[in-house]
């Protein structure tokens, strides 16, 4: 739109179903094939889904010990994932990978890592907006037990300067929360990588199913536009052992436009030669934060957790007038 | 979707052009005709545009004294607007009206008022996100001098309990800022009323014009969905003395769907029998703020104004751990 282009080959590697019977080795073989395809298109960065190494296990009620033994990774890379890291280093291509993290002291997070072109982990994100529930709902057709198996991420929404750009990460349900993207936008992110597993049906209420894809894309588009950044979003999708999750993997430009979208619900690479400078005009004008933002009037965003009663205008003005902020 | 419906007749009254030569009396006559039409459809609340009484004068460079004399209101209602208030009381219909406010001590705001079914002003909003510039740009085809003629609103984003619901207000450029809607969502707003004047061309850079309508609708849809509220957005549009502004007045449901949209660029009423309960399922599940929000990780939203360097994960975690919040 103005100035010099700064192209970066950006790919999303969508995964079709991973069933309970599928081994880590079989999954990593698929990841490797997708990494090679992305590289052949010119990608410098590939985004894989959330919990990309196993089936979406939070749909099953299990004892924690069983879940840990079957679905969590004690190290990253580990023996099964090392070949993916080796190939990335050999090809000189970075990636985002989601997995279930078990720490040395037994804590569990829904995590993603950012790996640079030298095959080294440069960033780690632990999912903050965990959806679902912690209790067993035997009447439901399936569970959504992220609040049981994981604790809330404790490292915030970071942005990493790497690969000649600045990259943020988040996971699945985070995409519905504009706060997540604003925190990354305020750290000058130019790309946000996001993996997800989203059931096609809502177990909590009778939501029309077509709205679920609409809300997914709407959230990506608005967050990209309002922060003038690229979003690369990778689904795990299709029916895992009969439980259906939607696809819709997409790359969204800083204009809010969907510039690439997956065609189906299987393993698939989508690619865009993304111009990182496309966001510059937005950042310099309509979303020139330093000129236009008014944090003294945003206080409730951090002062309240839940929705409450309206405050009188006088109370809001008093909050704003006592506000300390940087210039 | 679940439970009892709570219908409220919600109308948007779009205005076509108001030229420099048009008198206040002529404009109020048009507002009255639109109010009558909205009432005949069953509306309890009608949303008029921003700066609805005059042409969009920030496009013209003037001395402040001239602007004040021609375009500002010293009282609301004033002599010319009193008939609109009288009719609203007679019909028992509430409305939102935008105008240029001159206070008793000479301060100037881009303001809207919320008038209830008894014809009384129950709320006032002064625009916070002023777009444009304060200096004269003689090379530009027109000016966007909101930062010259108005000061930043000093009363925050309020929500008023009235007409059996809770109503928030904002103006034009505020719709692009998710912070504005979140502050209202955290005060349990069920409807946000919004007026706007949006030039079809961007004087700041060569933005593809089709994107401007897309960004308008995208922002409304995302803010409605992410806060589970109705948005009623009223344009002033068409060519005012040759300067074109886009239409696209819309009513957006808590699902994020556009459920009514203006057809043209003239005076036009759109109407929806809005179910206020439609947002309940979203508020109780995916956007159950008290269960899912994590303000300890949103600190940068108020700690920073402009975009800056990325913080290390350790610094973000430290910010979060020292955070004081309600339970």
């Amino acid at each position: 739109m103005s100035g010099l282009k700064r192209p970066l080959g950006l790919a999303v590697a969508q995964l079709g179903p991973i069933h309970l019977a599928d081994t880590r080795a079989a999954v990593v073989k698929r990841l490797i094939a997708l990494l090679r395809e992305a590289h052949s298109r010119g990608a410098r960065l590939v985004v894989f889904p959330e919990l990309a190494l196993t089936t979406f296990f939070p749909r099953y009620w299990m004892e924690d010990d069983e879940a840990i033994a079957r679905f969590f990774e004690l190290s990253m890379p580990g023996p099964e994932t090392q070949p993916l890291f080796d190939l990335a280093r050999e090809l000189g291509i970075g990636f985002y990978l989601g997995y279930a993290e078990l720490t040395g002291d037994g804590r569990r997070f829904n995590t993603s890592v950012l790996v640079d072109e030298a095959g080294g982990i440069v960033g780690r994100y632990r999912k903050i907006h965990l959806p679902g529930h912690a209790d067993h709902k035997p009447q439901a057709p399936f569970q959504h037990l992220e609040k049981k198996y994981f604790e809330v991420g404790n490292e915030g929404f970071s942005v990493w300067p790497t690969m000649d750009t600045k990259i943020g990460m988040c996971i699945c349900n985070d995409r519905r929360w504009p706060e997540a993207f604003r925190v990354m936008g305020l750290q000058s992110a130019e790309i946000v990588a996001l993996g997800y597993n989203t059931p096609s049906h809502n177990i909590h209420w009778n939501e029309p199913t077509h709205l679920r894809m609409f809300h997914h894309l709407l959230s990506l588009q608005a967050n990209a536009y309002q922060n003038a950044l690229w979003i690369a979003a990778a689904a795990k999708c299709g029916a895992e052992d009969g439980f259906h999750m939607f696809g819709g993997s997409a790359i969204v430009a800083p204009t809010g436009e969907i510039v690439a979208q997956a065609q189906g619900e299987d393993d698939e690479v989508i690619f865009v030669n993304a111009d990182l400078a496309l966001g510059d005009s937005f950042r310099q004008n309509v979303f020139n934060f330093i000129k236009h933002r008014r944090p003294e009037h945003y206080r409730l965003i951090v002062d309240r957790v839940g929705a409450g009663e309206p405050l009188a205008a006088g109370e809001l003005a008093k909050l704003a007038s006592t506000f300390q902020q940087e210039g």
Side-chain angles (χ1 to χ4, degrees), chain A:
Chain A
M1 300 208 172
S2 71
L4 288 178
K5 292 192 176 187
R6 291 192 292 124
L8 182 141
L10 181 59
V12 163
Q14 177 174 283
L15 279 172
I18 299 175
H19 305 294
L20 279 167
D22 293 333
T23 63
R24 292 278 203 298
V27 172
V28 171
K29 208 172 151 185
R30 286 162 64 185
L31 298 178
I32 282 176
L34 291 163
L35 191 79
R36 283 195 186 280
E37 181 177 344
H39 177 258
S40 75
R41 305 260 193 97
R44 282 182 68 189
L45 177 67
V46 192
V47 178
F48 291 113
E50 171 192 32
L51 300 174
L53 300 171
T54 69
T55 198
F56 186 64
F57 65 88
R59 78 169 64 91
Y60 301 108
W61 178 263
M62 289 169 282
E63 296 304 316
D64 286 0
D65 285 351
E66 182 188 349
I68 290 170
R70 293 177 67 177
F71 299 110
F72 280 72
E73 315 296 319
L74 191 48
S75 61
M76 185 57 60
E80 292 103 338
T81 43
Q82 187 65 53
L84 181 69
F85 283 70
D86 292 344
L87 180 64
R89 189 178 58 244
E90 180 191 325
L91 299 177
I93 183 171
F95 65 90
Y96 162 111
L97 180 73
Y99 65 101
E101 177 193 6
L102 179 67
T103 69
D105 55 352
R107 301 176 70 178
R108 291 165 295 174
F109 297 98
N110 186 342
T111 297
S112 62
V113 285
L114 182 63
V115 177
D116 70 7
E117 293 156 308
I121 291 176
V122 294
R124 176 179 67 202
Y125 170 69
R126 291 165 166 171
K127 185 174 180 177
I128 287 172
H129 295 104
L130 296 172
H133 50 100
D135 56 318
H136 192 195
K137 297 188 183 298
Q139 309 305 323
F142 55 90
Q143 310 294 303
H144 201 139
L145 293 164
E146 290 193 53
K147 287 194 195 285
K148 167 179 163 63
Y149 294 127
F150 304 113
E151 60 180 287
V152 171
N154 59 350
E155 300 183 313
F157 297 101
S158 290
V159 170
W160 293 271
T162 184
M163 291 186 253
D164 308 316
T165 180
K166 296 190 176 74
I167 302 176
M169 293 193 279
C170 59
I171 298 178
C172 198
N173 183 44
D174 288 320
R175 70 195 184 286
R176 305 183 198 279
W177 300 87
E179 291 94 336
F181 285 82
R182 185 63 96 222
V183 169
M184 292 187 278
L186 284 165
Q187 295 174 85
S188 305
E190 296 185 319
I191 299 172
V192 172
L194 166 91
Y196 61 97
N197 287 258
T198 306
S200 299
H201 301 282
N202 187 337
I203 60 170
H204 301 291
W205 60 286
N206 187 25
E207 183 184 21
T209 53
H210 72 276
L211 288 179
R212 292 172 68 74
M213 175 62 78
F214 168 61
H215 292 155
H216 156 65
L217 294 173
L218 175 63
S219 296
L220 298 182
Q221 293 184 271
N223 284 318
Y225 165 60
Q226 290 168 340
N227 295 284
L229 47 78
W230 288 86
I231 300 180
K236 182 142 61 66
C237 57
E240 292 187 335
D241 293 301
F243 298 98
H244 196 269
M245 300 185 295
F246 67 62
S249 296
I251 300 176
V252 180
T255 58
E257 294 170 296
I258 299 167
V259 293
Q261 189 169 341
Q263 304 162 54
E265 297 178 339
D266 265 316
D267 291 10
E268 179 180 347
V269 171
I270 58 176
F271 172 83
V272 168
N273 194 22
D275 180 10
L276 299 177
L278 188 60
D280 290 350
S281 294
F282 293 95
R283 275 189 285 269
Q284 290 157 12
N285 293 285
V286 59
F287 295 122
N288 188 329
F289 290 165
I290 194 80
K291 273 172 72 175
H292 301 306
R293 292 184 80 247
R294 294 290 162 186
E296 68 273 26
H297 293 298
Y298 306 157
R299 277 288 297 272
L300 281 196
I301 291 172
V302 295
D303 281 2
R304 283 191 173 175
V305 182
E309 288 303 305
L311 285 175
E315 293 176 66
L316 285 168
K318 204 190 304 172
L319 256 186
S321 69
T322 60
F323 188 58
Q324 299 293 320
Q325 67 189 38
E326 55 158 38

